[in-house]
């Protein structure tokens, strides 16, 4: 990295000790920015990088609630309002035991550039809690969500900060939180949360959007080499909302998804995943991937010592969580002839794995570009709420597809113009950064 950028990076590390994921996300962006600061030395003079790495506001709060036995539980809630240069803070809430400030800051930082790439008027933020939804009853989840919102509501607003879901937060949790927000504020403020139910202000396609968008983006990458998904073997990691709808879009485009996973293991199904069964197990029963194997004769559980990345494929879509695809996994994928890796999750590929994939000329798309379809469709949900309207599935999906194709084009062309043809990391980081930096420059020192 350029010594001036390295110095700023070291100052970010020193100011944010112990937040490894945040450091990783910042480093990955900085590694792309050397040619930008050469063209725009004013960004160094105005401390643009230091300013972008410092969240505008960070909120940490107590979330007390009672479990079904009547015992008191205490969790920690977070909302990092990172950057509002392009619009109200926008980004999901993650409920997972691994959540701490460093995870929320990495996600919030990524969200700034992702949201910028969508071309829609949304700033970057992220929040969540170390609450573990697994094994909790529906009423425990409700009480937790109500307590969480009882503090968070005062920081939100359709022009201020608009949360949505992420890992552990889906339609059910958004419902409980919207209900509590509405009750406390006495306002039916639809645009304050996205990922809402269709009956009460949600947008069609929002559920599918992150997975669909990732596959549309990967398809654009394939097209640059004169190929498509037709006949391709694919694995998705994970089996949550992103993975399920990525798999669905792959199947629609003629590819075969032969594997998926959860934290308990991975499944190989050479006949191609039965999506109805997977949806039943994951969305209705909230079960495990092992339940799928029991009910599907063509499927088998992967080796306990192995990983989903051992399965030979043309396209790999990491759709589970951060740092799930490491250097060894990347080397195996390369050896088996992978052509495209596109991130459906946020930062699932470790930095050394990204370098290995790029050195091997595998097309690699970072999450901030490839998985932007989720938040883009959230912005479409906000548009519908603002105009008190709702669009049909077909039109909304057309808008999503056009947005993903546009993000691909912007990343591809930005990489070309900075002498890094085919490098989507460089393209996404520079294009995402430039828009935010221009807006911040225009606003003066605020
Ligand atoms: N959590 C999603 C993401 O990582 C979506 C955020 C949103 O819709 O606001 O982009």
């Amino acid at each position: 990295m350029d010594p001036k950028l390295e110095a700023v990076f070291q100052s970010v590390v020193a100011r944010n000790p112990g937040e490894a994921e945040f450091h990783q996300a910042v480093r990955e962006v900085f590694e792309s920015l050397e040619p930008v600061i050469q063209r725009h030395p004013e960004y160094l003079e105005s401390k643009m990088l230091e300013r972008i790495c410092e969240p505008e506001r960070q909120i940490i709060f107590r979330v007390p609630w009672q479990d079904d036995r009547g015992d008191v539980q205490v969790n920690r809630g977070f909302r990092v309002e990172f950057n509002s240069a392009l619009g109200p803070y926008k980004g999901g809430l993650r409920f997972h035991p691994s959540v701490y400030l460093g995870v929320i800051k990495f996600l919030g930082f990524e969200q700034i550039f992702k949201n910028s790439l969508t071309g829609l008027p949304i700033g970057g933020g992220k929040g969540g809690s170390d609450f573990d939804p697994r094994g909790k009853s529906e009423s425990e989840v409700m009480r937790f969500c109500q307590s969480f919102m009882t503090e968070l509501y005062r920081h939100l607003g359709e022009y201020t900060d608009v949360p949505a879901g992420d890992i552990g937060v889906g339609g059910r949790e958004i419902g409980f939180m919207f209900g509590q927000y509405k009750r406390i504020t006495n306002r039916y403020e639809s645009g304050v949360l996205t990922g809402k139910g269709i009956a009460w202000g949600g947008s069609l396609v929002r559920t599918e959007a992150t997975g669909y968008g990732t596959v549309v983006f990967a398809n654009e990458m394939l097209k640059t080499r004169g190929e498509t998904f037709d006949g391709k073997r694919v694995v998705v990691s994970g089996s949550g909302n992103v993975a399920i709808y990525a798999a669905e879009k792959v199947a629609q485009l003629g590819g075969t998804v032969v594997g998926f996973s959860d934290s308990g293991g991975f499944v190989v199904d050479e006949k191609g995943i039965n999506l109805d069964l997977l949806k039943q197990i994951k969305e209705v029963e909230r079960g495990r991937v092992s339940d799928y194997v029991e009910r599907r004769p063509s499927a088998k559980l992967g080796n306990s010592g192995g990983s989903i990345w051992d399965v030979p494929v043309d396209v790999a879509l990491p759709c589970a969580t951060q740092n799930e695809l490491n250097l060894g996994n990347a080397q195996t994928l390369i050896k088996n002839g992978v052509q495209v890796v596109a991130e459906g999750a946020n930062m699932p590929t470790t930095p050394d794995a990204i370098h290995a994939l790029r050195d091997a000329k595998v097309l690699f798309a970072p999450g901030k570009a490839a998985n932007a379809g989720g938040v883009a469709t959230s912005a479409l949900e906000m548009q519908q709420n603002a105009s008190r309207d709702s669009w049909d599935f077909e039109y909304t999906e057309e808008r999503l597809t056009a947005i993903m194709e546009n993000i691909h084009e912007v990343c591809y062309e930005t990489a070309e113009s900075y002498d890094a043809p085919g490098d989507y990391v460089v393209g996404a980081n520079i294009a995402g950064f430039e828009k935010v930096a221009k807006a911040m420059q225009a606003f003066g020192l605020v």
Side-chain angles (χ1 to χ4, degrees), residues 4-256:
K4 292 197 193 85
L5 284 162
E6 181 68 43
V8 182
F9 175 70
Q10 289 308 332
S11 76
V12 171
V13 172
R15 281 172 73 76
N16 301 276
E19 297 176 355
E21 297 83 357
F22 179 50
H23 305 161
Q24 183 184 333
V26 171
R27 185 165 195 104
E28 192 238 307
V29 171
F30 276 23
E31 279 178 351
S32 301
L33 292 184
E34 185 175 338
V36 180
I37 57 160
Q38 269 163 9
R39 278 190 208 178
H40 297 280
E42 71 273 16
Y43 288 155
L44 283 179
E45 283 147 33
S46 66
K47 296 231 162 80
M48 184 57 73
L49 297 167
E50 288 90 332
R51 283 155 66 198
I52 277 194
C53 290
E54 186 71 15
E56 290 176 18
R57 190 177 297 109
Q58 305 184 56
I59 303 146
I60 304 181
F61 52 100
R62 179 171 68 202
V63 190
W65 58 283
Q66 255 183 325
D67 65 23
D68 287 345
R69 292 185 315 191
D71 290 342
V72 171
Q73 303 283 342
V74 181
N75 284 101
R76 191 170 287 174
F78 301 90
R79 186 72 183 166
V80 173
E81 298 182 334
F82 224 121
N83 193 297
S84 62
L86 300 179
Y89 310 107
K90 181 85 198 84
L93 299 169
R94 175 175 294 190
F95 292 170
H96 192 270
S98 64
V99 164
Y100 75 107
L101 187 58
V103 163
I104 301 299
K105 273 160 77 177
F106 118 63
L107 290 164
F109 187 73
E110 289 283 294
Q111 202 83 45
I112 303 169
F113 307 105
K114 181 195 306 195
N115 294 4
S116 162
L117 285 170
T118 67
L120 298 164
I122 39 180
K126 204 87 187 190
S129 174
D130 57 2
F131 173 75
D132 186 358
R134 182 160 326 151
K136 301 290 188 298
S137 72
E138 179 127 331
S139 32
E140 288 175 327
V141 170
M142 181 180 76
R143 286 196 294 278
F144 175 80
C145 289
Q146 289 176 338
S147 179
F148 185 84
M149 187 51 93
T150 300
E151 169 56 33
L152 189 63
Y153 89 95
R154 72 190 80 247
H155 308 288
L156 306 182
E158 63 176 318
Y159 297 107
T160 309
D161 186 354
V162 183
D166 195 84
I167 293 171
V169 178
R172 177 180 68 173
E173 291 73 20
I174 294 292
F176 293 145
M177 287 190 273
F178 185 72
Q180 185 73 348
Y181 183 88
K182 187 172 80 58
R183 188 174 189 198
I184 295 175
T185 60
N186 193 31
R187 285 160 61 85
Y188 204 110
E189 192 184 332
S190 299
V192 75
L193 286 173
T194 62
K196 298 181 295 295
I198 303 305
W200 40 278
S203 174
L204 288 166
V205 196
R206 177 64 191 85
T207 306
E208 296 83 354
T210 312
Y212 277 20
T214 300
V215 174
V216 170
F217 194 97
N219 200 39
E220 291 300 300
M221 297 165 82
L222 283 165
K223 282 190 204 163
T224 65
R225 292 193 174 166
E227 306 225 28
T228 67
F229 264 99
D230 201 24
K232 294 282 184 297
R233 279 170 62 87
V234 182
V235 282
V236 300
S237 61
S239 47
N241 169 263
V242 181
I244 288 175
Y245 292 97
E248 185 165 283
K249 185 51 79 183
V250 169
Q252 286 172 15
L253 296 179
T256 308

Side-chain angles (χ1 to χ4, degrees), residues 298-337:
S298 59
K300 56 181 190 347
L301 218 46
N303 296 337
S304 57
S307 102
I308 188 157
W309 312 119
D310 300 339
V311 183
V313 287
D314 305 301
V315 180
L317 304 173
C319 297
T321 194
Q322 65 268 15
N323 293 328
E324 53 159 316
L325 196 166
N326 63 28
L327 177 60
N329 303 141
Q331 286 163 342
T332 307
L333 284 167
I334 294 164
K335 183 170 65 87
N336 289 336

